[in-house]
Each structure stands twice: as C-alpha cells, then as structure tokens.
Amino acid sequence: MAEKRPITVATGDGIGPEIMEATMHILEQAGAEIEPEYIDVGEKVYLTGNSTGIPQEAWDSLRRTKVFLKAPITTPQGGGYKSLNVTIRTAMGLYANVRPCVSYSPVIENKHPDMDLVIVRENEEDLYAGIEHQQTPDVVQSLKLISRPGSERIVRYAFEYARQNNRKKVTCLVKDNIMKLSDGLFHQVFKEIAAEYPDIESSHYIVDIGMARIADTPEEFDVIVTPNLYGDIASDIAAQIAGSVGLAGSANIGDEIAMFEAIHGSAPDIAGKEIANPSGLLHGAIMMLVHIGQPEAAEKIHNAWLKTIEDGVLTGDMARGKAAVGTKEFAAAVVERLGQSPSTLEPVSYNKKTIQKEKDFDRPKHEVERELDGTDVFLFNNTLTVDEIGEKLERAAGESFEFVMMTNRGVKVYPNGFSETFLSDHWRCRFQKAEGKQVEQSEIRELLSRIEDEELDWIKIENLYRFNGKIAYSLAQGQ
C-alpha cells in the first residue's frame, strides 16, 4: 500500500462541517490515500482576536503538508478583518485560481448544454490586495495593483493549462479602454505571451461585453484568463449558468502550496439543516486528488458523482422543485455508485499529465529608464472655492513646477471647470516640471512645504514618471 499523503483540512463555518463530513466520507470510501490534519480557522478564530482568522499551528500544518482542502469560511463584513481566503492566497503565493464550469445538461437544466469553460483568475493582485484608505470625510480610495511579473505568470499559466488539457483557445478579459495603465498592462502581457503559443488561439474582450457573452453564449469560450476581481465575478456567473454555484470546485495553485475549495460561501442560513449540496467541495477535492498524483481516485469519484445525478439523486439546489435528498443521503448515493460510470453524461478520465504544476520560467529583465515628470498632490478641503484653491496652488508652484490642473473625483475643475460639476472634499492637483527643468524628489518636498505655507491640507502624493520616454500616468480631460 502506498504511503498516505498528508493534507491539511479545515471544516469551515456555516454549512462547512456538514459538506466536509460528506466529502471526506466519499474520499475515504473511494480509497483516496490521504492523511488529513484538521485545523481550526475562520469565524471562531476571528472572534478570539486573531485578525487573520488562522492561528500559527494552522500555518505550520499548511506549510508542512502543502495541500489544503478548505470548506467555506465566514468572513465578518464591514469590520477590520481581511478575508481569510485572500490572506492565504497572498501569504502562500497561490497566484492561480482555476475554476472549471461545465454544463450537466440534460440532468441539470440549463440553456447551454455545450458549455465547458475554465476560468483562470489572477489571485494575488488587483483590488483584492485590500489596500484602502479613507482620505477625507467624503472620499475613500482602494488601490488597484497590477504588476508585470504577476500578469506574466498568470497568463502563462493559462496557456500552459490550455496546452496540457487539450484546450484550443485562451481569452483575455480586461477593461483597458478605461484603465489604460493597469488593465492595459495585463492585456499587453497577454498579447506578448500569446505570441509564444501559436498552437493555441487567443482572443480578447472588454470585460463588460465579455461577461455578457459568458451569460449569453458561454460555449464560445474555452479558457478565460483575467485579473482578480473580474475573475471572481465571471466564475460565479459561469458556475450559475452551468447549473448552480453549488456545483463548482476551485483550485488555488502556487509554486509550492495549493488550496482546494468550493466557490460558494458558508450559507449560515441553512447551516445545521443537512440540506446543503456537498458537490462544490467534492469537486474541489477531486481537483486536489489530481494535483497530488491520485488520478485514479479522482476519476472514480467524479464518475460516481455523474452517475448519481444522472440517476436523479439531487440535492435541493439541483432538483429545483423535484424530489430532493439531504447532504448525507447524497454522499451515500455517490459512495454506492463508486466504480460506476454515467451513460448519458460524458464520463471523465484523468491521468497524471493533467496535474497542474507551472514550469520554471525565467522572467526576462526589462531595461527601463525612469524620468520624474512631476507629481499629483491630493488635498482635503471643504471650505475654499475652486478658484481660491487654484490661486493658492499657482503661488505654491514655484520656479521648478507648473500647476497644470486640479480635478475632483477625476473630473477637471480648474482651470476652466464647469459650475455644474458635483464636488467632494478631495482634490487632485497636478504639478509638472517647468519647461527646461529637471526635478528631483527634494524639490517635491519643497513644493509640499510651500503648499503648507498656503494653509492647504495635503493628504498624499503620487509622482508622475516617464518610462523609456513614455508617459506612465493617466491624463485628465484637457491635457
């Protein structure tokens, strides 16, 4: 008998313990060679004062086993707690979120029987970095971070996934018609890497029309790669269209550690009723078995699950008004069908070639010349008029800078603004180097001192740069 593979298991919150019990029962009966280490994470840990929701002993287990099967976790809303999922993904370098969304028609009713797509979502960056500030009484900011190395490895992962799984096309979803720098970088990297995979078709959609097409014609997609926030939304849309969010599993892949889960939440409203569908977590566990080199067990469980739903054994979310079974009854039905295959639905087949581990790629060094062009100074003001602020900033500019413009919520209001523009108490004030001048950061510090002398309250600055002579900051209307 092969040595059992240690894995870390968290039973989670809400319906988590129920669906994890069902999932582990199926894994055991299918002969999965695993040795679970159970840890406590989530709501109970948050309430002890641990803001991460995961104690040190849990981190130790995860770093030791390098495989994490996790039931849904409740993240407190509106407080200071950061999502446990986000914390684990970023701390452990789980950069690739992989979510297959497959139609099970005609067993589970949907309008797209040929739907079979995989969403590969960047997992560490974007707005999910969780860097937020309240800067004035009226305005908060959330920083959207997109990096070249982060974009390179998720895009390359998507193309490698397509190649290893005989997928034919990879589609990029971004909003670079608006966010020209951040989403523009992701799209540019996509085009560069797509050129290295001539055997795989590549395409691109602006994210809003792309999601509309997922909702309308999902069968035209194969593999989708997209930044973090868009991927989160798109995968839930796709899973629901395929039949139910409750059916979809998810893999979070890093260079050393991987986490597997359902994509749905902890559903505290139905916790303890034994009616929850364990299928999403079970599909996460199937992906885990493939990842750890146990494709035979994965195939056995997946085909038994397909046979179960084909035979009409369905939980409430799948039954949609028809006769339904509870969590334990559904798990028992899957166990009863281990070794069987579906006849109407397509049986699955796994082999070790489908294990997703990224190759070691050498990231190229980019030679970049950076030139300081000026700075954006952000102010808090709720007393002075636009013209009064503008006059003070004109005086503060000095000889090294030209005061170019002032915006409010991204709209130019000085000079030559419109009285109809709605204003908040948060102002972006752009200073660019005067003609013929070279500016250093010391001169920006002097500029801030002059702004303070004008009794203006500056909040923060964002320096303006050119990279290899190209403007690397957003322009406002009129520039």
Side-chain angles (χ1 to χ4, degrees):
M1 181 179 293
E3 184 177 349
K4 291 187 175 182
R5 177 67 156 80
I7 65 169
T8 299
V9 176
T11 57
D13 303 315
I15 61 172
E18 301 161 50
I19 62 174
M20 182 61 80
E21 180 182 1
T23 296
M24 294 303 291
H25 176 61
I26 295 169
L27 294 180
E28 179 183 353
Q29 294 300 309
E33 296 293 334
I34 57 174
E35 188 67 47
E37 296 183 8
Y38 287 90
I39 60 172
D40 289 323
V41 297
E43 191 171 33
K44 291 180 181 178
V45 181
Y46 286 127
L47 295 176
T48 67
N50 185 322
S51 62
T52 67
I54 180 166
Q56 185 59 48
E57 55 268 25
W59 287 118
D60 293 342
S61 174
L62 180 55
R63 297 179 74 188
R64 180 171 56 254
T65 68
K66 302 189 183 305
V67 177
F68 189 18
L69 181 62
K70 183 186 70 62
I73 300 295
T74 297
T75 300
Q77 295 183 351
Y81 297 128
K82 189 172 182 178
S83 164
L84 179 141
N85 275 357
V86 172
T87 298
I88 293 174
R89 289 167 182 166
T90 54
M92 298 289 100
L94 310 184
Y95 64 91
N97 182 251
V98 184
R99 296 186 175 186
C101 299
V102 181
S103 169
Y104 299 107
S105 180
V107 174
I108 299 174
E109 295 179 6
N110 68 52
K111 298 177 181 178
H112 304 283
D114 297 326
M115 177 181 181
D116 182 5
L117 64 87
V118 177
I119 295 175
V120 177
R121 163 191 170 196
E122 198 288 318
N123 224 10
E124 299 178 293
E125 301 184 342
D126 198 7
L127 290 165
Y128 279 45
I131 304 174
E132 297 187 303
H133 311 89
Q134 180 162 2
Q135 297 190 307
T136 74
D138 284 354
V139 175
V140 297
Q141 73 168 13
S142 183
L143 298 183
K144 179 184 177 80
L145 301 178
I146 301 289
S147 74
R148 173 168 277 277
S151 300
E152 285 175 348
R153 67 177 183 167
I154 193 63
V155 171
R156 193 175 297 281
Y157 184 95
F159 277 94
E160 284 294 316
Y161 182 98
R163 180 174 282 174
Q164 294 179 28
N165 289 274
N166 297 315
R167 298 273 179 167
K168 305 302 182 186
K169 180 169 70 172
V170 179
T171 301
C172 173
L173 300 184
V174 287
K175 188 70 176 175
D176 57 338
N177 58 331
I178 303 298
M179 287 164 281
K180 300 180 186 297
L181 294 181
S182 54
D183 283 27
L185 173 59
F186 193 95
H187 189 190
Q188 177 60 34
V189 169
F190 176 82
K191 290 189 288 186
E192 292 171 5
I193 291 178
E196 301 177 23
Y197 293 83
D199 54 316
I200 299 172
E201 181 184 352
S202 64
S203 63
H204 160 258
Y205 283 114
I206 298 298
V207 66
D208 42 7
I209 189 61
M211 289 198 190
R213 295 183 79 91
I214 290 173
D216 181 63
T217 51
E219 54 274 3
E220 76 173 69
F221 294 97
D222 199 351
V223 176
I224 295 171
V225 64
T226 187
N228 206 333
L229 176 62
Y230 309 145
D232 195 3
I233 298 169
S235 56
D236 279 5
I237 292 172
Q240 186 63 32
I241 291 168
S244 170
V245 172
L247 302 181
S250 172
N252 301 269
I253 307 296
D255 291 335
E256 296 186 20
I257 295 172
M259 177 172 71
F260 302 88
E261 57 188 342
I263 74 168
H264 59 74
S266 59
D269 55 320
I270 62 170
K273 297 181 180 180
E274 287 291 341
I275 61 173
N277 186 354
S279 297
L281 184 59
L282 183 62
H283 279 112
I286 290 168
M287 297 171 79
M288 176 194 72
L289 291 174
V290 175
H291 178 80
I292 64 176
Q294 298 186 27
E296 298 86 358
E299 182 176 316
K300 186 176 183 181
I301 293 169
H302 201 157
N303 282 321
W305 181 86
L306 291 168
K307 177 65 174 171
T308 299
I309 65 170
E310 187 178 83
D311 288 347
V313 183
L314 307 171
T315 55
D317 60 321
M318 295 188 283
R320 299 180 182 179
K322 302 175 185 177
V325 300
T327 310
K328 291 181 178 178
E329 292 86 351
F330 184 81
V334 174
V335 169
E336 183 181 340
R337 289 162 176 79
L338 289 170
Q340 301 180 37
S341 294
S343 54
T344 300
L345 297 172
E346 185 73 22
V348 298
S349 177
Y350 291 108
N351 59 64
K352 292 189 178 183
K353 291 183 179 179
T354 63
I355 299 172
Q356 292 309 310
K357 298 191 78 172
E358 188 188 10
K359 297 178 181 178
D360 293 325
F361 294 103
D362 294 326
R363 191 168 69 87
K365 299 291 185 181
H366 299 281
E367 297 296 330
V368 176
E369 180 181 329
R370 189 178 70 158
E371 179 185 356
L372 183 59
D373 231 12
T375 189
D376 279 344
V377 180
F378 292 78
L379 303 180
F380 163 55
N381 176 79
N382 59 4
T383 58
L384 301 177
T385 67
V386 172
D387 286 341
E388 287 171 336
I389 301 171
E391 289 168 5
K392 286 176 175 285
L393 294 173
E394 294 277 9
R395 291 194 295 267
E399 296 182 357
S400 296
F401 294 97
E402 177 186 356
F403 175 45
V404 176
M405 63 164 186
M406 182 165 59
T407 69
N408 192 289
R409 299 190 307 153
V411 180
K412 182 181 176 185
V413 295
Y414 183 92
N416 305 319
F418 297 109
S419 60
E420 293 85 356
T421 302
F422 181 81
L423 302 176
S424 73
D425 58 6
H426 184 269
W427 312 80
R428 178 183 62 161
C429 311
R430 175 156 293 180
F431 294 86
Q432 291 191 285
K433 64 183 181 182
E435 187 175 354
K437 295 284 187 178
Q438 294 291 325
V439 295
E440 305 292 339
Q441 290 189 349
S442 60
E443 290 163 290
I444 293 175
R445 291 194 291 271
E446 293 170 4
L447 170 65
L448 295 176
S449 294
R450 293 193 296 272
I451 290 173
E452 291 172 4
D453 290 341
E454 292 289 342
E455 298 183 334
L456 293 174
D457 183 2
W458 66 272
I459 303 163
K460 72 163 200 168
I461 66 170
E462 291 287 348
N463 288 345
L464 311 176
Y465 291 99
R466 292 175 184 259
F467 288 85
N468 294 334
K470 182 179 179 181
I471 290 176
Y473 49 88
S474 59
L475 300 178
Q477 60 183 36
Q479 273 203 287

